[in-house]
């Protein structure tokens, strides 16, 4: 967990940044939760200065916000912002899918196909959490194969901001059955070496995410 990531005494600021970021993106720290420097310093075994620097960096990443006279807290991402983030993802990940189709090797094809097989098995078994993790790994693999480092850096930052909305969508009843054929279409296009088809398949998938996010949010608020 996040607390163990920085255990064992004072750590460099980068380690504290990673630990707090991980705590936010995994849900250990909830939206709007106050982030008190003294408490974080004790939890992560780091100096107050290191924690302060970490919070400043996470503020620039959009994960933390500072409220005048009230300190720092975990920034809550609204539905509208989650949709905007996904629209940016659609543009960048479509580009990366096209690049992946151009650059993928035979080994990459095998890894993509293996992930696709495991995703089908997870859906057939009703393993929603397992499918969600495979979903994440597939997107990460396509980005890695693309070699588009600038896009990957931007997408990594956006992922941290949007992780809770993505998790809710992944857990939404019936969602894996909708997204599985979309993911398999991306895999097929990349393995076929067809950049146009790969770009279109990824765009179709993420447009589906954009359309589903409001439905998931509506269902969640109805159940409250």
């Amino acid at each position: 967990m996040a607390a163990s990531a920085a255990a064992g005494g004072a750590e460099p600021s980068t380690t504290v940044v990673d630990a707090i970021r991980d705590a936010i993106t995994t849900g250990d720290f909830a939206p709007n939760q106050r982030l008190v420097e003294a408490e974080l310093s004790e939890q992560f075994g780091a100096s107050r200065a290191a924690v302060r620097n970490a919070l400043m960096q996470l503020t620039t990443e959009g994960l933390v916000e500072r409220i005048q006279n009230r300190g720092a807290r975990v920034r809550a991402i609204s539905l509208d912002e989650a949709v905007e983030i996904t629209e940016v993802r659609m543009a960048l990940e479509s580009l990366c899918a096209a690049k992946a189709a151009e650059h993928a090797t035979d080994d990459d094809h095998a890894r993509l196909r293996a992930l696709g097989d495991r995703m089908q098995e997870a859906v057939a078994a009703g393993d929603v959490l397992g499918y969600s993790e495979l979903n994440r790994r597939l997107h990460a693999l396509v980005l890695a194969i693309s070699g588009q480092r600038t896009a990957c850096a931007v997408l990594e930052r956006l992922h941290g901001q949007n992780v809770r909305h993505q998790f809710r969508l992944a857990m939404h009843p019936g969602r894996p059955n909708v997204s599985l054929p979309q993911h398999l279409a991306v895999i097929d296009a990349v393995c076929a070496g067809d950049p146009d088809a790969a770009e279109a398949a990824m765009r179709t998938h993420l447009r589906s995410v954009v359309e589903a996010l409001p439905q998931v949010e509506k269902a969640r608020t109805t159940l409250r």
Side-chain angles (χ1 to χ4, degrees):
M1 298 302 288
S4 63
E11 298 283 346
S13 293
T14 51
T15 303
V16 181
V17 168
D18 292 340
I20 298 176
R21 184 190 296 110
D22 182 62
I24 293 172
T25 57
T26 58
D28 288 348
F29 294 161
N32 296 318
Q33 179 175 333
R34 288 189 64 214
L35 299 172
V36 181
E37 288 182 9
E39 295 175 357
L40 295 173
S41 177
E42 181 178 355
Q43 178 176 353
F44 296 112
S47 69
R48 292 280 293 271
V51 169
R52 189 175 303 115
N53 289 337
L55 293 177
M56 290 176 61
Q57 179 171 331
L58 293 171
T59 299
T60 67
E61 293 181 15
L63 293 175
V64 170
E65 63 180 346
R66 290 184 173 274
I67 309 299
Q68 189 171 8
N69 301 323
R70 296 182 62 183
R73 69 180 183 184
V74 178
R75 191 167 77 86
I77 305 298
S78 69
L79 172 62
D80 287 345
E81 188 171 359
V83 168
E84 289 181 5
I85 288 171
T86 308
E87 289 172 340
V88 174
R89 281 185 59 204
M90 183 166 61
L92 293 180
E93 289 201 46
S94 297
L95 166 66
C96 289
K99 293 290 186 182
E102 294 174 353
H103 298 154
T105 64
D106 288 343
D107 286 343
D108 293 328
H109 295 164
R111 293 164 67 194
L112 288 165
R113 294 291 190 195
L115 271 176
D117 290 343
R118 292 182 62 188
M119 293 175 85
Q120 293 181 79
E121 292 168 1
V123 171
D127 182 4
V128 180
L129 285 174
Y131 178 77
S132 177
E133 171 60 17
L134 292 167
N135 179 349
R136 184 197 65 79
R137 288 175 57 187
L138 174 61
H139 281 267
L141 180 55
V142 171
L143 296 183
I145 294 171
S146 76
Q148 235 292 355
R149 290 181 295 177
T150 300
C152 289
V154 174
L155 288 164
E156 182 178 0
R157 176 172 169 178
L158 293 176
H159 172 75
Q161 295 180 27
N162 214 25
V163 66
R164 286 188 185 84
H165 287 276
Q166 292 169 21
F167 182 77
R168 289 173 191 158
L169 176 60
M171 296 298 104
H172 191 64
R175 180 61 195 176
N177 295 95
V178 173
S179 67
L180 176 61
Q182 298 169 355
H183 286 125
L184 295 179
V186 173
I187 291 171
D188 287 343
V190 172
C191 291
D194 188 335
D196 291 338
E199 181 175 1
M202 184 64 81
R203 187 173 294 276
T204 296
H205 167 54
L206 289 171
R207 185 178 294 112
S208 170
V209 173
V210 168
E211 294 170 351
L213 283 172
Q215 300 170 19
V216 174
E217 184 67 15
K218 181 179 180 180
R220 188 176 73 90
T221 55
T222 301
L223 292 173
R224 283 179 177 175

Short mmCIF file of all heavy atoms in Angstrom, two decimals, residues 42-66:
data_model
loop_
_atom_site.label_atom_id
_atom_site.label_comp_id
_atom_site.label_asym_id
_atom_site.label_seq_id
_atom_site.Cartn_x
_atom_site.Cartn_y
_atom_site.Cartn_z
N GLU A 42 4.36 11.89 8.81
CA GLU A 42 4.44 10.73 9.71
C GLU A 42 4.09 9.44 8.98
O GLU A 42 4.76 8.42 9.14
CB GLU A 42 3.49 10.94 10.89
CG GLU A 42 3.52 9.78 11.89
CD GLU A 42 2.61 10.03 13.08
OE1 GLU A 42 2.02 11.12 13.18
OE2 GLU A 42 2.49 9.11 13.91
N GLN A 43 3.06 9.48 8.15
CA GLN A 43 2.61 8.28 7.46
C GLN A 43 3.66 7.72 6.51
O GLN A 43 3.86 6.51 6.43
CB GLN A 43 1.32 8.58 6.68
CG GLN A 43 0.80 7.38 5.89
CD GLN A 43 -0.53 7.66 5.21
OE1 GLN A 43 -1.14 8.71 5.42
NE2 GLN A 43 -1.00 6.73 4.40
N PHE A 44 4.32 8.63 5.78
CA PHE A 44 5.27 8.19 4.77
C PHE A 44 6.73 8.28 5.20
O PHE A 44 7.64 8.03 4.42
CB PHE A 44 5.05 8.99 3.48
CG PHE A 44 3.70 8.76 2.87
CD1 PHE A 44 2.76 9.77 2.84
CD2 PHE A 44 3.36 7.53 2.34
CE1 PHE A 44 1.51 9.56 2.29
CE2 PHE A 44 2.11 7.31 1.78
CZ PHE A 44 1.18 8.32 1.77
N GLY A 45 6.96 8.66 6.46
CA GLY A 45 8.33 8.71 6.97
C GLY A 45 9.20 9.69 6.23
O GLY A 45 10.37 9.41 5.95
N ALA A 46 8.64 10.85 5.90
CA ALA A 46 9.37 11.85 5.11
C ALA A 46 9.35 13.19 5.83
O ALA A 46 8.54 13.42 6.75
CB ALA A 46 8.73 12.00 3.74
N SER A 47 10.22 14.07 5.41
CA SER A 47 10.27 15.41 6.01
C SER A 47 9.08 16.23 5.57
O SER A 47 8.47 15.97 4.53
CB SER A 47 11.57 16.11 5.62
OG SER A 47 11.55 16.41 4.23
N ARG A 48 8.77 17.26 6.36
CA ARG A 48 7.69 18.17 5.98
C ARG A 48 8.00 18.85 4.64
O ARG A 48 7.11 19.06 3.81
CB ARG A 48 7.48 19.24 7.07
CG ARG A 48 6.93 18.72 8.38
CD ARG A 48 5.43 18.51 8.31
NE ARG A 48 4.71 19.76 8.18
CZ ARG A 48 4.29 20.50 9.20
NH1 ARG A 48 4.55 20.12 10.46
NH2 ARG A 48 3.60 21.61 9.00
N ALA A 49 9.28 19.17 4.42
CA ALA A 49 9.67 19.82 3.17
C ALA A 49 9.42 18.90 1.98
O ALA A 49 8.93 19.34 0.92
CB ALA A 49 11.14 20.23 3.22
N ALA A 50 9.75 17.61 2.14
CA ALA A 50 9.53 16.66 1.05
C ALA A 50 8.04 16.52 0.75
O ALA A 50 7.63 16.46 -0.42
CB ALA A 50 10.13 15.30 1.40
N VAL A 51 7.22 16.46 1.80
CA VAL A 51 5.77 16.36 1.61
C VAL A 51 5.23 17.62 0.94
O VAL A 51 4.41 17.54 0.02
CB VAL A 51 5.07 16.13 2.96
CG1 VAL A 51 3.55 16.30 2.82
CG2 VAL A 51 5.41 14.75 3.50
N ARG A 52 5.72 18.77 1.37
CA ARG A 52 5.26 20.04 0.79
C ARG A 52 5.58 20.08 -0.70
O ARG A 52 4.75 20.47 -1.53
CB ARG A 52 5.91 21.21 1.52
CG ARG A 52 5.33 22.58 1.13
CD ARG A 52 5.95 23.68 1.99
NE ARG A 52 5.75 23.43 3.41
CZ ARG A 52 6.73 23.18 4.27
NH1 ARG A 52 8.00 23.17 3.86
NH2 ARG A 52 6.46 22.94 5.54
N ASN A 53 6.80 19.66 -1.07
CA ASN A 53 7.19 19.64 -2.47
C ASN A 53 6.34 18.65 -3.27
O ASN A 53 5.97 18.90 -4.42
CB ASN A 53 8.68 19.27 -2.60
CG ASN A 53 9.59 20.38 -2.13
OD1 ASN A 53 9.20 21.54 -2.10
ND2 ASN A 53 10.81 20.02 -1.75
N ALA A 54 6.04 17.50 -2.64
CA ALA A 54 5.22 16.50 -3.31
C ALA A 54 3.82 17.04 -3.59
O ALA A 54 3.27 16.85 -4.68
CB ALA A 54 5.14 15.24 -2.44
N LEU A 55 3.24 17.72 -2.61
CA LEU A 55 1.90 18.28 -2.80
C LEU A 55 1.89 19.35 -3.88
O LEU A 55 0.92 19.47 -4.64
CB LEU A 55 1.37 18.85 -1.48
CG LEU A 55 1.08 17.82 -0.38
CD1 LEU A 55 0.64 18.52 0.90
CD2 LEU A 55 0.03 16.82 -0.83
N MET A 56 2.97 20.11 -3.97
CA MET A 56 3.06 21.12 -5.03
C MET A 56 3.08 20.45 -6.39
O MET A 56 2.42 20.90 -7.33
CB MET A 56 4.30 21.99 -4.83
CG MET A 56 4.22 22.93 -3.63
SD MET A 56 5.75 23.85 -3.36
CE MET A 56 5.87 24.77 -4.89
N GLN A 57 3.85 19.36 -6.52
CA GLN A 57 3.92 18.67 -7.81
C GLN A 57 2.57 18.06 -8.16
O GLN A 57 2.11 18.13 -9.31
CB GLN A 57 4.98 17.58 -7.78
CG GLN A 57 5.06 16.81 -9.10
CD GLN A 57 6.25 15.88 -9.18
OE1 GLN A 57 7.28 16.12 -8.56
NE2 GLN A 57 6.12 14.79 -9.92
N LEU A 58 1.91 17.44 -7.18
CA LEU A 58 0.62 16.81 -7.44
C LEU A 58 -0.46 17.83 -7.74
O LEU A 58 -1.44 17.53 -8.42
CB LEU A 58 0.22 15.94 -6.24
CG LEU A 58 1.13 14.71 -6.04
CD1 LEU A 58 0.81 14.03 -4.72
CD2 LEU A 58 1.00 13.73 -7.20
N THR A 59 -0.27 19.05 -7.26
CA THR A 59 -1.19 20.14 -7.63
C THR A 59 -1.06 20.45 -9.11
O THR A 59 -2.05 20.64 -9.82
CB THR A 59 -0.91 21.39 -6.78
OG1 THR A 59 -1.12 21.09 -5.40
CG2 THR A 59 -1.83 22.53 -7.18
N THR A 60 0.18 20.48 -9.61
CA THR A 60 0.39 20.74 -11.04
C THR A 60 -0.14 19.60 -11.89
O THR A 60 -0.51 19.81 -13.05
CB THR A 60 1.89 20.97 -11.36
OG1 THR A 60 2.61 19.74 -11.16
CG2 THR A 60 2.47 22.06 -10.49
N GLU A 61 -0.21 18.39 -11.33
CA GLU A 61 -0.73 17.24 -12.07
C GLU A 61 -2.25 17.18 -12.04
O GLU A 61 -2.85 16.34 -12.73
CB GLU A 61 -0.16 15.94 -11.48
CG GLU A 61 1.33 15.78 -11.69
CD GLU A 61 1.87 14.48 -11.11
OE1 GLU A 61 1.05 13.58 -10.80
OE2 GLU A 61 3.09 14.36 -10.96
N GLY A 62 -2.86 18.01 -11.21
CA GLY A 62 -4.32 18.03 -11.15
C GLY A 62 -4.92 17.04 -10.17
O GLY A 62 -6.14 16.85 -10.14
N LEU A 63 -4.08 16.40 -9.35
CA LEU A 63 -4.59 15.44 -8.37
C LEU A 63 -4.89 16.10 -7.02
O LEU A 63 -5.68 15.56 -6.23
CB LEU A 63 -3.58 14.31 -8.16
CG LEU A 63 -3.37 13.39 -9.36
CD1 LEU A 63 -2.27 12.39 -9.06
CD2 LEU A 63 -4.65 12.67 -9.73
N VAL A 64 -4.25 17.21 -6.74
CA VAL A 64 -4.41 17.91 -5.46
C VAL A 64 -4.78 19.35 -5.76
O VAL A 64 -4.37 19.91 -6.79
CB VAL A 64 -3.09 17.85 -4.65
CG1 VAL A 64 -3.14 18.76 -3.43
CG2 VAL A 64 -2.80 16.41 -4.22
N GLU A 65 -5.57 19.94 -4.88
CA GLU A 65 -5.87 21.37 -5.00
C GLU A 65 -5.62 22.03 -3.65
O GLU A 65 -5.77 21.41 -2.60
CB GLU A 65 -7.31 21.61 -5.45
CG GLU A 65 -8.38 21.10 -4.51
CD GLU A 65 -9.77 21.37 -5.03
OE1 GLU A 65 -9.90 22.17 -5.98
OE2 GLU A 65 -10.74 20.78 -4.50
N ARG A 66 -5.20 23.29 -3.70
CA ARG A 66 -4.94 24.06 -2.49
C ARG A 66 -6.06 25.08 -2.31
O ARG A 66 -6.36 25.84 -3.23
CB ARG A 66 -3.58 24.74 -2.57
CG ARG A 66 -2.43 23.75 -2.48
CD ARG A 66 -1.08 24.45 -2.46
NE ARG A 66 -0.02 23.49 -2.21
CZ ARG A 66 0.37 23.11 -1.00
NH1 ARG A 66 -0.22 23.62 0.08
NH2 ARG A 66 1.35 22.24 -0.85
#
